[in-house]
Amino acid sequence: MIYLDNNATTQLHPEALEAMMPFLTDAYANPSSGYASSRRVKKAVDLARDQVASLLGAHPEEIIFTSGGTEADNTAIASATACLPQKKHLVASTPEHPAVIQFFEMLEQEEGHSFSLVPVDGEGQLDLDQLDAMIKPNETALVSLMWANNETGVIYPIAEIAERLAHKGVFFHTDAVQAVGKTPINVHDAGVHFLALSGHKFHGPKGVGALYASSNVRLKPRFIGGAQELGRRGGTENVASIVGLGKAAELMTTKLATKGQEKVRIERDYFEASLTARLPGVRVNGHPENRLTNTANVAFDGIESAALLIMLDQEEICASAGSACHTGALHSSPVLAAMGFDRERALGTARFSLSSFTTREELDQAIKIIASSVEKLRSMRSGSGVSVSS
Ligand code: PLP
C-alpha cells in the first residue's frame, strides 16, 4: 500500500504504541484512585499533558484531554457562547470543517444564534478586511478560524487575526487539527483563547485529542460528571490513548525543532513538480507558500477524480477527492467551491497528503501510476470533445 492520505489520518508511530502498551495491559488502575499503581497511571497522564503543552507552548494546566478534534471544537464553541449569553452572533470562514460549521448551524436552529462566514480568495486566503467588517460590536461572541485547511493545507495568519480581534470583546478559537505537528505553533504568541487538536492527525491514536483553553478565559465544561481534568471534562481518562497522544506530541516537538517538516516539503514539491512535468493540464490548488508542507491538492483537467481514485485504489494507492458521492450524484467539495472553482475543476481535484513516513520510492511509484491513470481517463473521454491544455 502507498498511503498518501495523511490529512485523513496517520499511521500510529511505533514509539507511541510502545508508550501505550503498559496502559493497555498491567497499568490499568484508575488515575483518580489513591494507591501506588494509580499514582503511576496519573503520572503518565501528567507527562502526556506536559508533552502536549510543550508542543503548543502552553502551560500544562491549559490542556484538557478530549475524545478528539470534534469534541475540542464543540467544547470551545459551546463554552464561548455560554460565557457570553447576551451575544448571539458567531463568525467563521467558508471552508471551515463540519465540526465547527455544523455546530454553528445547530446553535442557529436551536439557540437563536446567527453566523457570518468570511470568504476566501482563489488561493484559499482569508479576506481580513471582510473579517473585521463582520464583527458586530456587542453582538459577536466568537470567531472560529482553522489554522490550516484539511483539503488544501492553506494556512491562515492566526497571530495577525488575534491581534485584530484583541480589543473587540470576542472569544477567538482556532481549529488546529490539521496544523498541529506539521507547522510550529505557540499559542501564547498566537494569542488565541482556544485551540483544538487531534491525536490521529500526527501519528497518535484515534479517538483522543485536546483542547487548549487559555488560563485567561473561563471554560464551561461540556461533559459534566467527575472532577477529572480539573473539573473541566468529566469522565475517566482514556489513559492509553492520552499517553500515545503525549508521545506523538513529544516526537512532533523534536521533528519541528529539527526542521523535519522541511524534508516533507521537499518530497511534496517533488511530487507536484513531477506530476506537472509529466502531464499537461495539472494545477495545484491553494496558496503556493502559505500551506502545510505535506499537502498537495491537485486539479487534473478533463477527468473526474472519483474515477481516478478508484483506479488508484486498485493499485493500492490511498488518496482522497475534492468531491463526495451522495445518493449517486457527484458533489464538489465545499472548500473548493468556497475558493471559487468551477464544478469541473473541483470534480477533477484529488488530495494527496504525505507524512515523514512517505518515501521517494513510494512517490515515484505513485507518480507513474497517477500519470498513466489520468492519461487513460482522458483518452476514454477524448471522443467526447474534452480538450486538455498545458
Ligand atoms: N477539524 C479538522 C480541520 C479536521 O480535519 C478534522 C478531522 O478530519 C476534525 C476537525 C475532526 O477531528 P476528529 O476526527 O479528531 O474528531
Side-chain angles (χ1 to χ4, degrees):
M1 175 176 81
I2 300 177
Y3 188 75
L4 297 178
D5 204 14
N6 286 280
N7 286 8
T9 196
T10 57
Q11 174 188 338
L12 181 63
H13 198 290
E15 287 184 44
L17 175 63
E18 195 187 327
M20 291 167 72
M21 282 312 282
F23 303 94
L24 292 165
T25 50
D26 301 340
Y28 53 80
N30 189 320
S32 302
S33 302
Y35 26 79
S37 56
S38 76
R39 284 195 291 278
R40 177 188 167 199
V41 175
K42 183 173 180 314
K43 238 172 111 179
V45 172
D46 289 345
L47 171 64
R49 201 181 307 283
D50 290 346
Q51 289 163 322
V52 172
S54 282
L55 178 61
L56 301 178
H59 302 306
E61 63 279 8
E62 293 175 312
I63 304 300
I64 298 122
F65 291 117
T66 65
S67 63
T70 302
E71 183 193 324
D73 279 331
N74 285 198
T75 303
I77 299 166
S79 176
T81 52
C83 288
L84 291 174
Q86 72 287 9
K87 294 185 170 184
K88 292 285 186 190
H89 178 248
L90 314 165
V91 174
S93 71
T94 38
E96 219 66 32
H97 192 270
V100 169
I101 294 279
Q102 293 205 6
F103 202 76
F104 275 20
E105 285 170 358
M106 184 279 291
L107 289 172
E108 184 182 52
Q109 281 154 25
E110 296 181 14
E111 312 271 342
H113 286 78
S114 68
F115 64 89
S116 310
L117 298 178
V118 189
V120 292
D121 65 16
E123 292 186 327
Q125 305 221 91
L126 263 192
D127 185 329
L128 296 187
D129 292 333
Q130 288 232 37
L131 167 63
D132 284 344
M134 279 175 181
I135 310 291
K136 301 182 190 177
N138 306 319
E139 284 182 52
T140 306
L142 166 77
V143 174
S144 180
L145 295 168
M146 61 205 324
W147 197 296
N149 186 269
N150 43 307
E151 289 188 31
T152 60
V154 172
I155 293 173
Y156 288 164
I158 294 297
E160 186 186 339
I161 295 166
E163 227 174 283
R164 283 172 178 246
L165 297 177
H167 303 291
K168 299 234 160 91
V170 299
F171 284 107
F172 184 24
H173 167 58
T174 182
D175 173 348
V177 165
Q178 291 293 342
V180 170
K182 297 177 191 160
T183 192
I185 288 180
N186 182 302
V187 279
H188 293 158
D189 290 351
V192 295
H193 297 122
F194 301 109
L195 175 146
L197 64 85
S198 175
H200 73 107
K201 304 290 185 180
F202 57 94
H203 305 294
K206 294 169 183 57
V208 67
L211 173 64
Y212 157 79
S214 163
S215 51
N216 298 327
V217 298
R218 189 159 78 89
L219 180 77
K220 238 179 154 277
R222 192 147 171 78
F223 288 10
I224 314 280
Q228 293 90 353
E229 300 297 301
L230 296 175
R232 292 167 302 173
R233 200 250 188 199
T236 302
E237 298 87 340
N238 180 359
V239 174
S241 294
I242 288 170
V243 168
L245 169 67
K247 189 66 191 177
E250 182 191 279
L251 293 165
M252 291 306 116
T253 304
T254 308
K255 191 183 106 182
L256 288 165
T258 54
K259 302 267 179 250
Q261 82 277 18
E262 287 309 312
K263 294 193 193 106
V264 179
R265 182 201 298 277
I266 290 167
E267 296 309 311
R268 190 274 315 272
D269 289 353
Y270 169 79
F271 176 77
E272 288 178 351
S274 306
L275 280 179
T276 321
R278 278 180 92 123
L279 288 167
V282 173
R283 286 172 288 178
V284 175
N285 299 324
H287 191 276
E289 277 95 43
N290 285 345
R291 62 190 169 119
L292 296 173
T293 57
N294 79 317
T295 307
N297 190 279
V298 184
F300 300 95
D301 289 355
I303 67 154
E304 277 175 359
S305 56
L308 173 64
L309 292 186
I310 292 169
M311 293 171 81
L312 297 185
D313 187 25
Q314 284 163 356
E315 301 286 342
E316 294 190 49
I317 296 175
C318 306
S320 69
S323 59
C325 190
H326 300 297
T327 58
L330 266 185
H331 293 271
S332 59
S333 134
V335 173
L336 301 177
M339 289 164 72
F341 296 156
D342 59 30
R343 193 175 148 77
E344 200 176 341
R345 178 157 173 178
L347 291 184
T349 291
R351 179 189 70 185
F352 305 93
S353 42
L354 285 59
S355 82
S356 330
F357 290 108
T358 312
T359 65
R360 179 63 67 96
E361 292 70 35
E362 287 177 323
L363 290 181
D364 282 332
Q365 178 75 358
I367 291 159
K368 212 167 77 190
I369 295 170
I370 294 164
S372 70
S373 305
V374 169
E375 279 162 355
K376 220 176 275 172
L377 287 168
R378 283 176 177 168
S379 70
M380 282 156 64
R381 281 181 71 172
S382 60
S384 63
V386 174
S387 67
V388 174
S389 57
S390 40

